[in-house]
Amino acid sequence: MKILLTTLNAKYIHSNLALKYLYTSVIENKETISIREFTINNSDDYIFTELCREEYEVVCFSCYIWNTQRILYLAENLKKAKPEVKILFGGPEVSFDSVNIMTENKFVDFIISGEGELAFKQFLNNYFSDEPNYENINGLTYRLGDEICISSPPKLLEFDKVPFPYEYLEPESDKVVYYESTRGCPYRCSYCLSSIDKTVRALPVDRVYRELKFFIDRNVKQVKFIDRTFNWNKERCLEILRFLIVNDNKITNFHFELCGDLIDEKLIELLKSARDGLFQFEIGVQSTNNKTLEACNRKCNFTKLKNNIEQILNMGNIHLHLDLIAGLPYEDYNSFKESFNSVYALSAPQIQLGFLKLLKGAAIRGQTDLYKYEYRRKEPYEIISNQFLSALEVTHLKMIENVLDLYYNRGGFEFSIKFAMKILNENPFDFYERFSNYYYKMGFQHKSHKKEDLYRIFLQYIRWRENLHELFSSKMQEILKEDMRRTLNEDAIKKFERKGWDIL
Ligand code: SF4
């Protein structure tokens, strides 16, 4: 008897925490359970062969927006090849729609909705008993003959009773290590699934210290907290960060999602003593339009947030990543431009321009008619348009996102972008909008470019802008070279010089 816990991660460096939780929760069955993580870059053929060649009895798939279509296809083929194999799905993508999924996909035998640790344990106990009875398992959807049955609704677990997911599984050295010290979020943002848990459940700090020490002692490269708003409880946040500063191994980096306007003087004071690179913060600004934030049930004092972010950036030892979401209610193209410019002005090293996803189970999906949302029917359910943004405007924002990612987030153009915006007399949004129009008009989006070519494209764009005199483009060339010297290695620069500035 063999049970497989599996998934397709979005990238090789990612790992799936849910599978580790499930494995640890049924550790008494460890001889019969294994974990196998694939990525979306593995071919269907490769994954299918791997799933088929072993004698699995139950294959459990962890489903998210980035992998569910692939998993459905793989699971269907697996069932055709081995009808005796039972297929179990879990994860946010199947939790809110289990009956429909099982109705449409006859090869799915079971779905666990919500938190899986207890349900999976109860499921295994029943599955391997002589008289399985699934009725009392919280959150299980199963088949009884031709009928699809739902047992009792999913229940929030006592989180402190859930075992440490790495107790029996060593963290992989070449991957990001995910860790969770709280479940749930106190806020109610309408586009977010974390708003569904009405309470925050936190592990006792002593346990968190022990578990963090486990990672510190192993010198893992990065621990990414998946806590939804790490500083919801200011004192707890301070205590844990202080612990990490005191126990710094000079190697591990810790990533947190913070609420920007909850940051206070005490936290800023503490952060001053952190090693450069010890902490990385992701702060969701999403929009600076108050009406938009109100419509999403999101409260944010942008002035306070701005002030906090500026202080943190001035310290220079914390890596900051700011998020914006395009497609929220009342955020039209001009309003988004304002949000973008306000966030850009903060000069964070990374700005993630995301697009609204109307996720299954999120409140905003129920407001489709209210705001005239059109969105992709399949994962990731991303916005196509709404009453505030046309499909063409969303497309333009996508183009901007691509160029922002290449030129801003990946670095190497700091001086050049500042200089170009100055001589062109453009605000950040207008600069990226015009540059991205040119980038797409010239067809540069059709292939991926080496960094060197991105410098060539930049100069070509500046030369193309008719209002520029020769003087500006030669100055621009000098500044691009300066950025290049700070970014590329000597060999790459020599090679660049041999080839020259023309993009072939
Ligand atoms: S977006 Fe962030 S703050 Fe809002 S509910 Fe989700 S996790 Fe909480």
Side-chain angles (χ1 to χ4, degrees), residues 377-442:
R377 191 167 53 81
K378 290 188 177 166
E379 301 84 353
Y381 313 113
E382 206 172 271
I383 178 178
I384 293 172
S385 64
N386 63 11
Q387 73 180 84
F388 314 99
L389 273 180
S390 69
L392 191 61
E393 287 170 330
V394 173
T395 308
H396 279 140
L397 295 178
K398 285 257 162 196
M399 290 156 57
I400 292 173
E401 180 225 3
N402 186 20
V403 170
L404 180 78
D405 200 42
L406 290 172
Y407 282 91
Y408 185 84
N409 289 336
R410 297 195 194 173
F413 291 88
E414 289 75 11
F415 292 130
S416 308
I417 291 172
K418 265 190 203 139
F419 179 74
M421 285 199 295
K422 194 169 152 218
I423 56 164
L424 294 168
N425 193 22
E426 284 171 350
N427 63 49
F429 187 89
D430 290 345
F431 170 76
Y432 285 99
E433 185 190 44
R434 288 173 194 162
F435 186 19
S436 62
N437 282 340
Y438 175 81
Y439 193 92
Y440 277 73
K441 181 171 119 81
M442 299 302 290

Side-chain angles (χ1 to χ4, degrees), residues 191 286-287 292 296 325-331 356 364 373 386 388:
Y191 50 83
Q286 323 307 18
S287 166
T292 296
C296 300
I325 301 180
L328 295 174
Y330 302 104
E331 183 98 292
L356 179 69
I364 204 159
Y373 273 108
N386 63 11
F388 314 99

Side-chain angles (χ1 to χ4, degrees), residues 184-196 227-229 257 259 284 286 296-298 325:
C185 179
Y187 304 108
R188 299 281 162 267
C189 308
S190 61
Y191 50 83
C192 177
L193 287 185
S194 301
S195 65
I196 293 170
D227 298 29
R228 306 309 291 143
T229 303
E257 283 186 32
C259 173
Q286 323 307 18
C296 300
N297 292 331
R298 203 177 153 84
I325 301 180

Side-chain angles (χ1 to χ4, degrees), residues 46-60:
Y46 168 74
I47 303 173
F48 177 67
T49 308
E50 289 301 296
L51 296 179
C52 277
R53 72 185 182 85
E54 296 284 348
E55 294 298 315
Y56 297 121
E57 200 167 311
V58 184
V59 177
C60 313

